[in-house]
């Protein structure tokens, strides 16, 4: 069992990035269908919230 837990020297750490480089995310929707799915998801979330709020 102890042989299975040895560190593999060929495995490398995942790349790390500075916080300033990754701070501002940007949503890129190049195609029309991507925009429709994104907006549809936002509308669906609002509808679910409204239904839960007033369905009682």
């Amino acid at each position: 069992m102890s042989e299975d837990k040895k560190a593999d020297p060929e495995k490398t750490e995942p790349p790390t990035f500075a916080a300033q480089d990754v701070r501002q995310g940007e949503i890129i929707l190049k195609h029309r269908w991507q925009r429709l799915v994104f907006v549809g998801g936002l509308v669906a979330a609002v509808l679910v919230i409204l239904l839960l709020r007033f369905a009682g």
Side-chain angles (χ1 to χ4, degrees), residues 45-56:
V46 170
L47 288 177
V48 167
I49 291 170
L50 289 174
L51 286 174
L52 291 175
R53 173 84 167 108
F54 295 113

Side-chain angles (χ1 to χ4, degrees), residues 1 14 16 23 25 27 31 41 44 49:
M1 269 194 157
T16 57
R23 188 177 305 165
I27 300 173
H31 303 285
I49 291 170

